[in-house]
Amino acid sequence: MKSVTKWLGVGLAGLIGIVVIAIAIVYGVSSRWMSKVYVISDAPLPIPTDSASIAKGHHFVLAIAKCASCHGDDLAGKAVVDDAVMGRLYSANLTRAITGIGGYKDADYVRAIRHGVGRDGRALLMMPTDAFYYINDVDLANAIAYLKTIPAVDAVLPTKRVGPLAPALYLLTDFPLVPAERVPRSGPRPPTIPIGTTREYGDYLATTGACKSCHLQDLSGGVPIAKNLLSANLTPKGIGNWSEADFRKAMRSGIRPDGRVLSAVMPWPYTRFMTDDEIHALWLYVHSVPPKNSRGR
């Protein structure tokens, strides 16, 4: 402590004052973003009702978007963060219950998933919208068609509380507290990538599956994703000695080549439902990215 106060040229009281001011700035800036009202005016998205589209939507929600990893297997919501310094954040109840999103219109689903904005116009905290924005219209429509069929679960979730560390991480690192700020507000929709065992489709799966939300756009990782845990480096610098079989095993069973189990934060219980072709396409993409050192922040 003495060395810090000496380096700053202040006494203990001055140091405490600096910390208080820093916390006030962090809360001020982050509160402005969290209370910001967004105006979304997307064109209407037709939602199918046939069983084939609903089945495709179920697969996308389960295996690609991995919604259950945050919202629970019944999609009725669960604790995402519950920590004294990080805060207490619970995911929403996605069922048709009164305590869930039973009153959602089609446009509400699109606004929440694609833009990370609730019906009140405010940002949905830690909603991986920076990934879901890139879901194409067909996949999004199918996913919404499935979500509208989920049985109601009357789950009452605690009130959210944002601790002092979460806003600081958001301002200083890539911690995804307010992903709505990362979403483009204008311009054409991204082009639709054809389904296939291609690097390009693997890139689409990595993007819309929120891999890049935790591992960054270049997959170099180093993002705080839990207490004392940074996301892994998925470039050749990190998993360069993995074979495709190693990659598939990790995605299906959560076991690394060295026998260690992946962190519970990695949603392998849901990636195991990806098809062989999807995992192959994802491997082609991951295996093609340039080697990068992890940011390690």
Side-chain angles (χ1 to χ4, degrees):
M1 180 65 73
K2 289 182 179 180
S3 61
V4 173
T5 55
K6 182 178 179 181
W7 179 70
L8 290 174
V10 298
L12 180 58
L15 178 60
I16 294 174
I18 291 173
V19 171
V20 170
I21 292 172
I23 292 174
I25 292 173
V26 166
Y27 264 99
V29 174
S30 60
S31 295
R32 179 170 60 84
W33 278 323
M34 287 187 283
S35 62
K36 177 179 176 179
V37 175
Y38 298 82
V39 178
I40 307 299
S41 56
D42 280 3
L45 181 66
I47 308 301
T49 56
D50 62 282
S51 58
S53 296
I54 291 171
K56 290 177 181 177
H58 179 206
H59 176 74
F60 192 90
V61 166
L62 176 67
I64 309 304
K66 302 175 282 291
C67 301
S69 65
C70 287
H71 293 273
D73 289 334
D74 60 0
L75 298 181
K78 68 174 188 177
V80 178
V81 174
D82 196 347
D83 182 86
V85 293
M86 287 290 286
R88 183 178 64 189
L89 299 177
Y90 278 70
S91 57
N93 181 345
L94 300 185
T95 75
R96 302 292 289 173
I98 296 176
T99 56
I101 56 174
Y104 261 39
K105 308 294 186 184
D106 292 349
D108 297 325
Y109 282 101
V110 174
R111 186 189 307 111
I113 297 171
R114 186 166 274 173
H115 298 280
V117 174
R119 282 185 293 184
D120 62 357
R122 289 178 170 80
L124 301 173
L125 302 186
M126 295 187 71
M127 173 72 173
T129 302
D130 52 335
F132 294 167
Y133 174 81
Y134 296 96
I135 299 175
N136 65 46
D137 286 352
V138 173
D139 285 338
L140 181 58
N142 290 343
I144 293 172
Y146 166 68
L147 290 173
K148 293 171 71 172
T149 69
I150 298 171
V153 178
D154 289 315
V156 179
L157 302 173
T159 303
K160 71 182 178 189
R161 176 184 61 80
V162 179
L165 184 57
L169 288 175
Y170 174 65
L171 292 178
L172 300 175
T173 76
D174 295 285
F175 184 71
L177 182 63
V178 192
E181 281 293 309
R182 304 179 182 178
V183 174
R185 294 291 164 218
S186 60
R189 292 288 308 150
T192 297
I193 306 300
I195 296 174
T197 52
T198 63
R199 176 196 178 280
E200 291 72 23
Y201 190 61
D203 187 359
Y204 173 74
L205 294 175
T207 300
T208 58
C211 301
K212 296 180 181 180
S213 297
C214 288
H215 299 278
L216 299 181
Q217 292 298 312
D218 60 6
L219 301 185
S220 64
V223 176
I225 53 175
K227 193 172 183 179
N228 301 320
L229 181 65
L230 301 179
S231 58
N233 185 342
L234 299 185
T235 77
K237 278 278 189 178
I239 61 171
N241 60 339
W242 287 28
S243 66
E244 183 174 354
D246 294 331
F247 182 76
R248 184 180 298 108
K249 182 178 180 180
M251 295 288 285
R252 287 264 162 80
S253 67
I255 306 296
R256 295 165 51 97
D258 60 9
R260 288 184 293 161
V261 179
L262 294 173
S263 164
V265 178
M266 169 64 188
W268 65 263
Y270 306 102
T271 59
R272 67 191 176 97
F273 294 111
M274 294 177 72
T275 67
D276 289 341
D277 283 351
E278 287 167 345
I279 291 179
H280 179 60
L282 187 58
W283 166 254
L284 290 176
Y285 170 65
V286 170
H287 199 58
S288 72
V289 299
K292 292 282 187 71
N293 289 318
S294 177
R295 297 187 185 186
R297 294 193 292 169

